[in-house]
Amino acid sequence: MYVGIDAAYILCGRIAGVAIVISSAEELSLLRNFRQGGVYNQRVMAVGVRTGANPMARTLAIRTAPLAISLAARLAAGFVLLLGPDAPVFMRAAWTTAAVMTFFLRWRHRYGGEDGADQMLSILTTTLAACLLLSSVEGVKAAGLYFVGAQACLAYVTAGSAKLVSPQWRSGLAIRGILSTRTYGLRPLASQVQKSPCLALAMCWGVIAFESTFIFAPILPPVALLALLGVAALFHACVALTMGLNGFFWSFLAAYPAIVYLNQALTS
Amino acid sequence: MATMLRWAVYSYLILWFIVCIVSQFLDRVGMHFPRMSAMGLIPCWTFFAPRPGMDDTHLLYRDKLGNAGLGKLTYVPTIEDRRWYHAVWNPQKIQNKVFSDLTSSLRSQVRMVMQEDRDVRIVMLSTPYIMMVNLAMQMPRSPAATARQFILARSNSFGSTPGREILFLSEFHRFESV
């Protein structure tokens, strides 16, 4: 198995394109809630905007039109990454638009709405956009992929380590507790893990084990790496199905070509 | 020039990565890079750990009914039951996260004010409190209702002990007269 640098960028783009399209469309579908009279009225949320802030900043922070335009631009960039031609000029424009709009939305959303999937997309779009813009300098494109691959491995290792030091995760209580919530759980699955503490314990330790294994991902043999990435993808699919966290599947999978590229560089 | 630029990019990426590693263990690191933190470029990769959230936080409200006392406690619908298509399409998770961040922020502010021995009512001026009032006041009301209070409560909805614990009670806020 060998992934070239251009193929890695294209694959990252295609998969990230799905993540960007879905997340932008989801937010566009909630636009009415951020309008005057909506439950998350932006004027109320922007109460914290300083009264001395310049009029342009206040407009961008409070009005719905800039939010709608930025989401639409991000959605378009996502479609270009997903379906557009492989030509460098299109990729540069799409990654840069996605990065700039992601920054603007992050600035605008003072009170959340974002999770680890959005963090991964911020890292991906910023890094790959910058490295494509500087791609005429030798080595920069590769450096971008190494960074994204290393960042994805850091994400899994950190998540695994944080669970390893947690008494709730080591005892199996964490899975039982999380799946017992309406926000992130499913009643039938909650009832199953409550009846079976051994199942909950096995699930907790299974997650800890595969996440912690990512510390070796940059140096694993190709078959072992593909198996690990397969397990991780399956985990994200299960999380999407049971917890409704659909964004993690696409945004983390978008980093996998970069993990493979990093692994190739270190093992060849 | 190209060599300098290449090494500048390498150095920046290496330093950025080191900062990201250190920030996973020390929360304070992000404070030294406020713009990067605000842009989400210093990520926190500890999902649901080491202290996983194992309860649902609910927003409820009750009305003052003139001389008839208080109305019943009613939920503001902030949590949607899981549907099969949430595996692919789930805008509700954004609203869940906004609500979760607002409640965390409000509770930290209340804790901070109480530690400083100040009047807790000062949190009424905070954005999270104002947002919660806005959410609660959007809900339908009876003609007899004169004011509304919002309540934050938590419960383990599908757990073996699904009781409800009250976390915060707001002041009563009058409805505007039409």
Side-chain angles (χ1 to χ4, degrees), chain A residues 26 33 37 39-40 44-45 106 112 114 119 138 151 166 169 180-183 194 242-244 246, chain B residues 6 38 43-45 48 50 56 79 81-82 87-88 90 93 95 97 101 130-131 134-135 138 158:
Chain A
E26 282 176 339
N33 289 329
V39 290
Y40 294 105
V44 178
M45 286 188 105
R106 185 129 193 148
E114 292 168 348
Q119 290 183 115
E138 191 191 333
Q151 192 72 245
S166 163
W169 277 95
S180 299
T181 62
R182 270 184 75 206
T183 312
Q194 273 158 34
T242 55
M243 299 173 70
N246 55 327
Chain B
R6 181 166 72 240
C44 176
W45 298 125
F48 292 95
D56 290 308
I79 304 173
D81 285 331
R82 184 78 54 252
V88 177
N90 188 12
K93 69 176 185 291
Q95 301 203 123
K97 195 68 173 57
D101 289 348
I130 294 169
M131 282 303 308
N134 180 55
L135 281 170
Q138 301 282 331
F158 303 147

mmCIF file of all heavy atoms in Angstrom, chain A residues 26 33 37 39-40 44-45 106 112 114 119 138 151 166 169 180-183 194 242-244 246, chain B residues 6 38 43-45 48 50 56 79 81-82 87-88 90 93 95 97 101 130-131 134-135 138 158:
data_model
loop_
_atom_site.group_PDB
_atom_site.id
_atom_site.type_symbol
_atom_site.label_atom_id
_atom_site.label_comp_id
_atom_site.label_asym_id
_atom_site.label_seq_id
_atom_site.Cartn_x
_atom_site.Cartn_y
_atom_site.Cartn_z
ATOM 1 N N GLU A 26 -26.224 21.387 8.464
ATOM 2 C CA GLU A 26 -26.905 21.259 9.758
ATOM 3 C C GLU A 26 -27.102 22.632 10.383
ATOM 4 O O GLU A 26 -28.182 22.946 10.897
ATOM 5 C CB GLU A 26 -26.090 20.360 10.707
ATOM 6 C CG GLU A 26 -26.223 18.874 10.417
ATOM 7 C CD GLU A 26 -25.341 18.015 11.315
ATOM 8 O OE1 GLU A 26 -24.355 18.535 11.882
ATOM 9 O OE2 GLU A 26 -25.630 16.798 11.435
ATOM 10 N N ASN A 33 -33.409 29.659 14.406
ATOM 11 C CA ASN A 33 -33.267 29.747 15.865
ATOM 12 C C ASN A 33 -32.327 30.866 16.296
ATOM 13 O O ASN A 33 -32.336 31.267 17.454
ATOM 14 C CB ASN A 33 -32.737 28.432 16.439
ATOM 15 C CG ASN A 33 -33.782 27.335 16.362
ATOM 16 O OD1 ASN A 33 -34.960 27.608 16.444
ATOM 17 N ND2 ASN A 33 -33.348 26.110 16.181
ATOM 18 N N GLY A 37 -36.226 36.645 17.799
ATOM 19 C CA GLY A 37 -37.393 35.848 18.180
ATOM 20 C C GLY A 37 -37.117 34.365 18.272
ATOM 21 O O GLY A 37 -37.940 33.601 18.761
ATOM 22 N N VAL A 39 -35.045 30.877 19.530
ATOM 23 C CA VAL A 39 -34.639 30.485 20.882
ATOM 24 C C VAL A 39 -33.180 30.836 21.181
ATOM 25 O O VAL A 39 -32.814 31.052 22.323
ATOM 26 C CB VAL A 39 -34.897 28.981 21.156
ATOM 27 C CG1 VAL A 39 -36.381 28.702 21.247
ATOM 28 C CG2 VAL A 39 -34.254 28.095 20.116
ATOM 29 N N TYR A 40 -32.317 30.858 20.166
ATOM 30 C CA TYR A 40 -30.928 31.248 20.387
ATOM 31 C C TYR A 40 -30.662 32.575 19.693
ATOM 32 O O TYR A 40 -29.707 32.728 18.944
ATOM 33 C CB TYR A 40 -29.962 30.166 19.872
ATOM 34 C CG TYR A 40 -30.084 28.888 20.658
ATOM 35 C CD1 TYR A 40 -30.739 27.780 20.122
ATOM 36 C CD2 TYR A 40 -29.570 28.791 21.941
ATOM 37 C CE1 TYR A 40 -30.870 26.614 20.852
ATOM 38 C CE2 TYR A 40 -29.700 27.626 22.680
ATOM 39 C CZ TYR A 40 -30.342 26.544 22.128
ATOM 40 O OH TYR A 40 -30.480 25.392 22.851
ATOM 41 N N VAL A 44 -29.388 38.435 21.697
ATOM 42 C CA VAL A 44 -29.286 38.148 23.133
ATOM 43 C C VAL A 44 -27.923 37.508 23.424
ATOM 44 O O VAL A 44 -27.252 37.854 24.386
ATOM 45 C CB VAL A 44 -30.440 37.229 23.587
ATOM 46 C CG1 VAL A 44 -30.313 36.879 25.060
ATOM 47 C CG2 VAL A 44 -31.786 37.900 23.324
ATOM 48 N N MET A 45 -27.503 36.587 22.566
ATOM 49 C CA MET A 45 -26.219 35.928 22.783
ATOM 50 C C MET A 45 -25.064 36.919 22.676
ATOM 51 O O MET A 45 -24.026 36.719 23.273
ATOM 52 C CB MET A 45 -25.988 34.805 21.754
ATOM 53 C CG MET A 45 -26.824 33.587 22.028
ATOM 54 S SD MET A 45 -26.348 32.225 20.956
ATOM 55 C CE MET A 45 -25.467 31.200 22.103
ATOM 56 N N ARG A 106 -16.345 30.171 14.373
ATOM 57 C CA ARG A 106 -15.826 29.938 15.719
ATOM 58 C C ARG A 106 -15.848 31.245 16.528
ATOM 59 O O ARG A 106 -16.224 31.252 17.693
ATOM 60 C CB ARG A 106 -14.404 29.404 15.633
ATOM 61 C CG ARG A 106 -13.867 29.031 16.965
ATOM 62 C CD ARG A 106 -13.272 27.645 17.001
ATOM 63 N NE ARG A 106 -13.076 27.290 18.381
ATOM 64 C CZ ARG A 106 -13.169 26.072 18.848
ATOM 65 N NH1 ARG A 106 -13.442 25.075 18.036
ATOM 66 N NH2 ARG A 106 -12.986 25.834 20.122
ATOM 67 N N GLY A 112 -20.490 27.845 22.337
ATOM 68 C CA GLY A 112 -20.462 26.420 22.007
ATOM 69 C C GLY A 112 -21.150 26.075 20.721
ATOM 70 O O GLY A 112 -21.210 26.830 19.769
ATOM 71 N N GLU A 114 -19.894 23.552 19.362
ATOM 72 C CA GLU A 114 -18.774 22.880 18.698
ATOM 73 C C GLU A 114 -18.182 21.803 19.584
ATOM 74 O O GLU A 114 -18.226 21.887 20.806
ATOM 75 C CB GLU A 114 -17.706 23.926 18.351
ATOM 76 C CG GLU A 114 -18.228 24.848 17.269
ATOM 77 C CD GLU A 114 -17.385 26.075 17.061
ATOM 78 O OE1 GLU A 114 -16.516 26.345 17.889
ATOM 79 O OE2 GLU A 114 -17.606 26.751 16.054
ATOM 80 N N GLN A 119 -13.072 20.705 16.175
ATOM 81 C CA GLN A 119 -11.660 21.009 16.434
ATOM 82 C C GLN A 119 -10.781 20.356 15.371
ATOM 83 O O GLN A 119 -9.838 20.972 14.855
ATOM 84 C CB GLN A 119 -11.239 20.500 17.816
ATOM 85 C CG GLN A 119 -11.840 21.278 18.968
ATOM 86 C CD GLN A 119 -11.340 20.779 20.309
ATOM 87 O OE1 GLN A 119 -10.659 21.501 21.020
ATOM 88 N NE2 GLN A 119 -11.658 19.567 20.689
ATOM 89 N N GLU A 138 9.514 23.736 -1.405
ATOM 90 C CA GLU A 138 9.708 22.286 -1.299
ATOM 91 C C GLU A 138 9.569 21.812 0.135
ATOM 92 O O GLU A 138 10.101 22.421 1.073
ATOM 93 C CB GLU A 138 11.121 21.961 -1.801
ATOM 94 C CG GLU A 138 11.359 20.466 -1.996
ATOM 95 C CD GLU A 138 12.840 20.176 -2.239
ATOM 96 O OE1 GLU A 138 13.554 21.069 -2.749
ATOM 97 O OE2 GLU A 138 13.285 19.069 -1.882
ATOM 98 N N GLN A 151 -1.246 15.020 14.643
ATOM 99 C CA GLN A 151 -2.306 15.610 15.459
ATOM 100 C C GLN A 151 -3.436 14.593 15.682
ATOM 101 O O GLN A 151 -3.981 14.492 16.773
ATOM 102 C CB GLN A 151 -2.828 16.868 14.764
ATOM 103 C CG GLN A 151 -3.724 17.744 15.607
ATOM 104 C CD GLN A 151 -3.015 18.498 16.705
ATOM 105 O OE1 GLN A 151 -3.272 18.243 17.886
ATOM 106 N NE2 GLN A 151 -2.148 19.436 16.374
ATOM 107 N N SER A 166 -9.067 7.590 34.573
ATOM 108 C CA SER A 166 -10.386 7.877 35.147
ATOM 109 C C SER A 166 -10.951 6.641 35.846
ATOM 110 O O SER A 166 -11.130 5.593 35.208
ATOM 111 C CB SER A 166 -11.344 8.320 34.032
ATOM 112 O OG SER A 166 -12.686 8.235 34.463
ATOM 113 N N TRP A 169 -13.999 5.217 34.035
ATOM 114 C CA TRP A 169 -13.722 4.442 32.821
ATOM 115 C C TRP A 169 -13.118 3.091 33.164
ATOM 116 O O TRP A 169 -13.476 2.079 32.575
ATOM 117 C CB TRP A 169 -12.804 5.224 31.876
ATOM 118 C CG TRP A 169 -13.562 6.209 31.034
ATOM 119 C CD1 TRP A 169 -13.758 7.526 31.287
ATOM 120 C CD2 TRP A 169 -14.275 5.938 29.818
ATOM 121 N NE1 TRP A 169 -14.538 8.102 30.310
ATOM 122 C CE2 TRP A 169 -14.863 7.143 29.393
ATOM 123 C CE3 TRP A 169 -14.458 4.791 29.045
ATOM 124 C CZ2 TRP A 169 -15.619 7.245 28.238
ATOM 125 C CZ3 TRP A 169 -15.215 4.880 27.887
ATOM 126 C CH2 TRP A 169 -15.796 6.102 27.493
ATOM 127 N N SER A 180 -26.795 6.088 29.549
ATOM 128 C CA SER A 180 -28.056 6.257 30.283
ATOM 129 C C SER A 180 -28.622 7.659 30.161
ATOM 130 O O SER A 180 -29.642 7.963 30.774
ATOM 131 C CB SER A 180 -27.848 5.958 31.774
ATOM 132 O OG SER A 180 -27.436 4.635 31.942
ATOM 133 N N THR A 181 -27.960 8.520 29.396
ATOM 134 C CA THR A 181 -28.481 9.882 29.215
ATOM 135 C C THR A 181 -29.306 9.929 27.932
ATOM 136 O O THR A 181 -29.023 9.223 26.961
ATOM 137 C CB THR A 181 -27.340 10.907 29.124
ATOM 138 O OG1 THR A 181 -26.520 10.616 27.986
ATOM 139 C CG2 THR A 181 -26.480 10.900 30.378
ATOM 140 N N ARG A 182 -30.320 10.800 27.926
ATOM 141 C CA ARG A 182 -31.102 10.985 26.695
ATOM 142 C C ARG A 182 -30.264 11.710 25.646
ATOM 143 O O ARG A 182 -30.446 11.504 24.459
ATOM 144 C CB ARG A 182 -32.357 11.818 26.986
ATOM 145 C CG ARG A 182 -33.565 10.993 27.368
ATOM 146 C CD ARG A 182 -34.785 11.863 27.546
ATOM 147 N NE ARG A 182 -35.335 12.296 26.268
ATOM 148 C CZ ARG A 182 -36.056 13.408 26.108
ATOM 149 N NH1 ARG A 182 -36.279 14.217 27.122
ATOM 150 N NH2 ARG A 182 -36.557 13.713 24.933
ATOM 151 N N THR A 183 -29.349 12.563 26.112
ATOM 152 C CA THR A 183 -28.543 13.356 25.177
ATOM 153 C C THR A 183 -27.638 12.470 24.336
ATOM 154 O O THR A 183 -27.522 12.672 23.135
ATOM 155 C CB THR A 183 -27.671 14.369 25.948
ATOM 156 O OG1 THR A 183 -28.482 15.050 26.900
ATOM 157 C CG2 THR A 183 -27.051 15.382 25.021
ATOM 158 N N GLN A 194 -26.583 -1.867 31.662
ATOM 159 C CA GLN A 194 -26.862 -1.857 33.099
ATOM 160 C C GLN A 194 -27.057 -3.269 33.628
ATOM 161 O O GLN A 194 -26.670 -3.588 34.749
ATOM 162 C CB GLN A 194 -28.095 -1.014 33.398
ATOM 163 C CG GLN A 194 -27.754 0.448 33.592
ATOM 164 C CD GLN A 194 -28.931 1.353 33.366
ATOM 165 O OE1 GLN A 194 -30.064 0.974 33.674
ATOM 166 N NE2 GLN A 194 -28.676 2.533 32.839
ATOM 167 N N THR A 242 -25.123 5.377 17.991
ATOM 168 C CA THR A 242 -25.687 5.309 19.341
ATOM 169 C C THR A 242 -25.770 6.678 20.011
ATOM 170 O O THR A 242 -26.695 6.921 20.774
ATOM 171 C CB THR A 242 -24.859 4.384 20.251
ATOM 172 O OG1 THR A 242 -23.502 4.826 20.236
ATOM 173 C CG2 THR A 242 -24.907 2.951 19.765
ATOM 174 N N MET A 243 -24.789 7.549 19.745
ATOM 175 C CA MET A 243 -24.740 8.823 20.458
ATOM 176 C C MET A 243 -25.136 10.018 19.588
ATOM 177 O O MET A 243 -25.231 11.140 20.091
ATOM 178 C CB MET A 243 -23.321 9.056 21.028
ATOM 179 C CG MET A 243 -22.900 7.992 22.029
ATOM 180 S SD MET A 243 -21.186 8.136 22.548
ATOM 181 C CE MET A 243 -21.243 9.619 23.523
ATOM 182 N N GLY A 244 -25.328 9.783 18.287
ATOM 183 C CA GLY A 244 -25.724 10.878 17.401
ATOM 184 C C GLY A 244 -24.585 11.830 17.063
ATOM 185 O O GLY A 244 -24.806 12.897 16.495
ATOM 186 N N ASN A 246 -22.399 12.373 14.734
ATOM 187 C CA ASN A 246 -22.073 11.988 13.360
ATOM 188 C C ASN A 246 -20.838 12.701 12.823
ATOM 189 O O ASN A 246 -20.149 12.193 11.936
ATOM 190 C CB ASN A 246 -23.263 12.265 12.441
ATOM 191 C CG ASN A 246 -23.727 13.712 12.514
ATOM 192 O OD1 ASN A 246 -23.656 14.351 13.567
ATOM 193 N ND2 ASN A 246 -24.202 14.244 11.415
ATOM 194 N N ARG B 6 10.918 27.471 4.192
ATOM 195 C CA ARG B 6 10.661 26.061 4.517
ATOM 196 C C ARG B 6 10.938 25.810 5.990
ATOM 197 O O ARG B 6 10.135 25.202 6.694
ATOM 198 C CB ARG B 6 11.520 25.157 3.633
ATOM 199 C CG ARG B 6 11.287 23.670 3.894
ATOM 200 C CD ARG B 6 11.867 22.771 2.803
ATOM 201 N NE ARG B 6 13.307 22.731 2.867
ATOM 202 C CZ ARG B 6 14.110 23.110 1.880
ATOM 203 N NH1 ARG B 6 13.614 23.601 0.762
ATOM 204 N NH2 ARG B 6 15.414 23.032 2.006
ATOM 205 N N ALA B 38 -8.781 30.697 20.863
ATOM 206 C CA ALA B 38 -10.115 31.146 20.454
ATOM 207 C C ALA B 38 -10.480 30.572 19.088
ATOM 208 O O ALA B 38 -11.653 30.307 18.811
ATOM 209 C CB ALA B 38 -10.175 32.669 20.410
ATOM 210 N N PRO B 43 -6.316 22.396 20.494
ATOM 211 C CA PRO B 43 -7.486 21.556 20.790
ATOM 212 C C PRO B 43 -7.366 20.867 22.147
ATOM 213 O O PRO B 43 -6.294 20.748 22.710
ATOM 214 C CB PRO B 43 -7.437 20.508 19.668
ATOM 215 C CG PRO B 43 -5.995 20.415 19.297
ATOM 216 C CD PRO B 43 -5.407 21.759 19.517
ATOM 217 N N CYS B 44 -8.536 20.436 22.622
ATOM 218 C CA CYS B 44 -8.595 19.611 23.825
ATOM 219 C C CYS B 44 -9.152 18.269 23.376
ATOM 220 O O CYS B 44 -10.305 18.187 22.933
ATOM 221 C CB CYS B 44 -9.496 20.256 24.867
ATOM 222 S SG CYS B 44 -9.681 19.234 26.312
ATOM 223 N N TRP B 45 -8.334 17.220 23.465
ATOM 224 C CA TRP B 45 -8.736 15.933 22.898
ATOM 225 C C TRP B 45 -9.251 14.956 23.958
ATOM 226 O O TRP B 45 -9.375 13.763 23.701
ATOM 227 C CB TRP B 45 -7.559 15.273 22.158
ATOM 228 C CG TRP B 45 -7.014 16.014 20.978
ATOM 229 C CD1 TRP B 45 -5.718 16.383 20.789
ATOM 230 C CD2 TRP B 45 -7.713 16.444 19.790
ATOM 231 N NE1 TRP B 45 -5.562 17.014 19.572
ATOM 232 C CE2 TRP B 45 -6.778 17.058 18.929
ATOM 233 C CE3 TRP B 45 -9.050 16.372 19.361
ATOM 234 C CZ2 TRP B 45 -7.114 17.604 17.693
ATOM 235 C CZ3 TRP B 45 -9.386 16.918 18.119
ATOM 236 C CH2 TRP B 45 -8.421 17.519 17.299
ATOM 237 N N PHE B 48 -15.120 13.133 26.942
ATOM 238 C CA PHE B 48 -15.846 12.364 27.958
ATOM 239 C C PHE B 48 -14.906 11.777 29.025
ATOM 240 O O PHE B 48 -15.197 10.751 29.615
ATOM 241 C CB PHE B 48 -16.646 11.205 27.313
ATOM 242 C CG PHE B 48 -17.800 11.656 26.465
ATOM 243 C CD1 PHE B 48 -17.645 11.803 25.094
ATOM 244 C CD2 PHE B 48 -19.029 11.933 27.028
ATOM 245 C CE1 PHE B 48 -18.711 12.242 24.308
ATOM 246 C CE2 PHE B 48 -20.105 12.363 26.239
ATOM 247 C CZ PHE B 48 -19.935 12.514 24.881
ATOM 248 N N PRO B 50 -11.331 13.009 31.917
ATOM 249 C CA PRO B 50 -11.461 11.907 32.861
ATOM 250 C C PRO B 50 -12.775 11.891 33.653
ATOM 251 O O PRO B 50 -13.075 10.903 34.300
ATOM 252 C CB PRO B 50 -10.269 12.134 33.806
ATOM 253 C CG PRO B 50 -9.974 13.586 33.721
ATOM 254 C CD PRO B 50 -10.377 14.040 32.351
ATOM 255 N N ASP B 56 -28.243 14.063 32.269
ATOM 256 C CA ASP B 56 -28.830 15.063 31.381
ATOM 257 C C ASP B 56 -29.124 16.307 32.211
ATOM 258 O O ASP B 56 -29.583 16.198 33.344
ATOM 259 C CB ASP B 56 -30.170 14.560 30.805
ATOM 260 C CG ASP B 56 -29.981 13.438 29.816
ATOM 261 O OD1 ASP B 56 -29.177 13.622 28.887
ATOM 262 O OD2 ASP B 56 -30.639 12.388 29.962
ATOM 263 N N ILE B 79 -33.759 18.535 24.643
ATOM 264 C CA ILE B 79 -33.134 17.255 24.268
ATOM 265 C C ILE B 79 -34.103 16.486 23.365
ATOM 266 O O ILE B 79 -35.268 16.313 23.705
ATOM 267 C CB ILE B 79 -32.821 16.393 25.517
ATOM 268 C CG1 ILE B 79 -31.944 17.164 26.498
ATOM 269 C CG2 ILE B 79 -32.133 15.100 25.105
ATOM 270 C CD1 ILE B 79 -31.737 16.438 27.821
ATOM 271 N N ASP B 81 -35.063 12.940 21.403
ATOM 272 C CA ASP B 81 -34.787 11.498 21.470
ATOM 273 C C ASP B 81 -34.019 11.065 20.228
ATOM 274 O O ASP B 81 -34.169 11.645 19.148
ATOM 275 C CB ASP B 81 -36.094 10.698 21.554
ATOM 276 C CG ASP B 81 -36.714 10.786 22.948
ATOM 277 O OD1 ASP B 81 -35.954 10.956 23.923
ATOM 278 O OD2 ASP B 81 -37.952 10.692 23.048
ATOM 279 N N ARG B 82 -33.196 10.022 20.393
ATOM 280 C CA ARG B 82 -32.373 9.536 19.282
ATOM 281 C C ARG B 82 -33.259 8.983 18.175
ATOM 282 O O ARG B 82 -34.189 8.210 18.432
ATOM 283 C CB ARG B 82 -31.423 8.436 19.807
ATOM 284 C CG ARG B 82 -30.443 7.898 18.781
ATOM 285 C CD ARG B 82 -29.228 8.801 18.512
ATOM 286 N NE ARG B 82 -28.551 9.117 19.737
ATOM 287 C CZ ARG B 82 -28.579 10.318 20.305
ATOM 288 N NH1 ARG B 82 -29.204 11.322 19.753
ATOM 289 N NH2 ARG B 82 -27.952 10.519 21.439
ATOM 290 N N ALA B 87 -27.427 9.339 12.881
ATOM 291 C CA ALA B 87 -26.103 8.814 12.539
ATOM 292 C C ALA B 87 -25.512 9.572 11.346
ATOM 293 O O ALA B 87 -24.305 9.571 11.130
ATOM 294 C CB ALA B 87 -26.200 7.333 12.199
ATOM 295 N N VAL B 88 -26.367 10.209 10.561
ATOM 296 C CA VAL B 88 -25.926 10.926 9.364
ATOM 297 C C VAL B 88 -26.249 12.417 9.460
ATOM 298 O O VAL B 88 -25.481 13.254 9.025
ATOM 299 C CB VAL B 88 -26.631 10.331 8.114
ATOM 300 C CG1 VAL B 88 -26.235 11.101 6.870
ATOM 301 C CG2 VAL B 88 -26.281 8.870 7.953
ATOM 302 N N ASN B 90 -27.738 15.321 12.168
ATOM 303 C CA ASN B 90 -28.151 15.604 13.541
ATOM 304 C C ASN B 90 -27.887 17.054 13.931
ATOM 305 O O ASN B 90 -26.963 17.340 14.700
ATOM 306 C CB ASN B 90 -27.445 14.648 14.519
ATOM 307 C CG ASN B 90 -27.980 14.753 15.934
ATOM 308 O OD1 ASN B 90 -29.015 15.372 16.178
ATOM 309 N ND2 ASN B 90 -27.280 14.153 16.883
ATOM 310 N N LYS B 93 -27.583 18.173 17.753
ATOM 311 C CA LYS B 93 -26.403 18.078 18.612
ATOM 312 C C LYS B 93 -25.775 19.455 18.827
ATOM 313 O O LYS B 93 -25.167 19.710 19.866
ATOM 314 C CB LYS B 93 -25.352 17.115 18.033
ATOM 315 C CG LYS B 93 -24.665 17.607 16.782
ATOM 316 C CD LYS B 93 -23.564 16.641 16.339
ATOM 317 C CE LYS B 93 -22.811 17.212 15.152
ATOM 318 N NZ LYS B 93 -23.590 17.270 13.921
ATOM 319 N N GLN B 95 -27.479 22.288 19.110
ATOM 320 C CA GLN B 95 -28.289 22.927 20.153
ATOM 321 C C GLN B 95 -27.977 22.310 21.522
ATOM 322 O O GLN B 95 -27.913 23.021 22.529
ATOM 323 C CB GLN B 95 -29.775 22.806 19.824
ATOM 324 C CG GLN B 95 -30.131 23.435 18.493
ATOM 325 C CD GLN B 95 -31.589 23.839 18.384
ATOM 326 O OE1 GLN B 95 -31.897 24.980 18.137
ATOM 327 N NE2 GLN B 95 -32.482 22.879 18.547
ATOM 328 N N LYS B 97 -25.158 21.134 22.458
ATOM 329 C CA LYS B 97 -23.853 21.630 22.889
ATOM 330 C C LYS B 97 -23.952 23.088 23.365
ATOM 331 O O LYS B 97 -23.320 23.469 24.340
ATOM 332 C CB LYS B 97 -22.852 21.487 21.736
ATOM 333 C CG LYS B 97 -21.401 21.620 22.125
ATOM 334 C CD LYS B 97 -20.894 20.484 22.989
ATOM 335 C CE LYS B 97 -19.400 20.519 23.250
ATOM 336 N NZ LYS B 97 -18.912 21.743 23.866
ATOM 337 N N ASP B 101 -23.034 24.178 27.087
ATOM 338 C CA ASP B 101 -22.030 25.207 27.378
ATOM 339 C C ASP B 101 -22.638 26.352 28.183
ATOM 340 O O ASP B 101 -21.983 26.900 29.079
ATOM 341 C CB ASP B 101 -21.416 25.731 26.074
ATOM 342 C CG ASP B 101 -20.503 24.703 25.416
ATOM 343 O OD1 ASP B 101 -20.162 23.696 26.065
ATOM 344 O OD2 ASP B 101 -20.137 24.889 24.244
ATOM 345 N N ILE B 130 -29.136 35.330 30.858
ATOM 346 C CA ILE B 130 -30.047 36.026 29.942
ATOM 347 C C ILE B 130 -30.541 35.075 28.854
ATOM 348 O O ILE B 130 -31.712 35.083 28.457
ATOM 349 C CB ILE B 130 -29.363 37.274 29.333
ATOM 350 C CG1 ILE B 130 -29.092 38.299 30.432
ATOM 351 C CG2 ILE B 130 -30.202 37.893 28.229
ATOM 352 C CD1 ILE B 130 -28.205 39.452 30.019
ATOM 353 N N MET B 131 -29.640 34.236 28.337
ATOM 354 C CA MET B 131 -30.035 33.254 27.316
ATOM 355 C C MET B 131 -31.066 32.288 27.863
ATOM 356 O O MET B 131 -32.026 31.930 27.174
ATOM 357 C CB MET B 131 -28.810 32.448 26.859
ATOM 358 C CG MET B 131 -27.892 33.152 25.900
ATOM 359 S SD MET B 131 -28.729 33.705 24.421
ATOM 360 C CE MET B 131 -29.539 32.197 23.912
ATOM 361 N N ASN B 134 -34.345 33.946 28.123
ATOM 362 C CA ASN B 134 -34.898 34.082 26.770
ATOM 363 C C ASN B 134 -35.529 32.766 26.310
ATOM 364 O O ASN B 134 -36.636 32.741 25.774
ATOM 365 C CB ASN B 134 -33.798 34.524 25.803
ATOM 366 C CG ASN B 134 -34.301 34.677 24.375
ATOM 367 O OD1 ASN B 134 -35.251 35.390 24.118
ATOM 368 N ND2 ASN B 134 -33.661 33.984 23.446
ATOM 369 N N LEU B 135 -34.819 31.657 26.544
ATOM 370 C CA LEU B 135 -35.335 30.342 26.146
ATOM 371 C C LEU B 135 -36.639 30.028 26.873
ATOM 372 O O LEU B 135 -37.617 29.584 26.268
ATOM 373 C CB LEU B 135 -34.314 29.241 26.473
ATOM 374 C CG LEU B 135 -33.139 29.073 25.517
ATOM 375 C CD1 LEU B 135 -32.104 28.123 26.095
ATOM 376 C CD2 LEU B 135 -33.603 28.564 24.175
ATOM 377 N N GLN B 138 -39.768 32.066 25.862
ATOM 378 C CA GLN B 138 -40.324 31.778 24.527
ATOM 379 C C GLN B 138 -41.439 30.741 24.601
ATOM 380 O O GLN B 138 -42.211 30.587 23.658
ATOM 381 C CB GLN B 138 -39.229 31.194 23.611
ATOM 382 C CG GLN B 138 -38.015 32.047 23.371
ATOM 383 C CD GLN B 138 -38.265 33.138 22.360
ATOM 384 O OE1 GLN B 138 -39.092 32.986 21.473
ATOM 385 N NE2 GLN B 138 -37.568 34.234 22.491
ATOM 386 N N PHE B 158 -32.118 7.344 31.659
ATOM 387 C CA PHE B 158 -32.370 5.914 31.452
ATOM 388 C C PHE B 158 -31.729 5.066 32.540
ATOM 389 O O PHE B 158 -31.611 3.855 32.417
ATOM 390 C CB PHE B 158 -31.817 5.454 30.093
ATOM 391 C CG PHE B 158 -32.347 6.209 28.904
ATOM 392 C CD1 PHE B 158 -31.541 6.423 27.804
ATOM 393 C CD2 PHE B 158 -33.627 6.698 28.885
ATOM 394 C CE1 PHE B 158 -32.008 7.127 26.700
ATOM 395 C CE2 PHE B 158 -34.114 7.406 27.788
ATOM 396 C CZ PHE B 158 -33.299 7.619 26.690
#
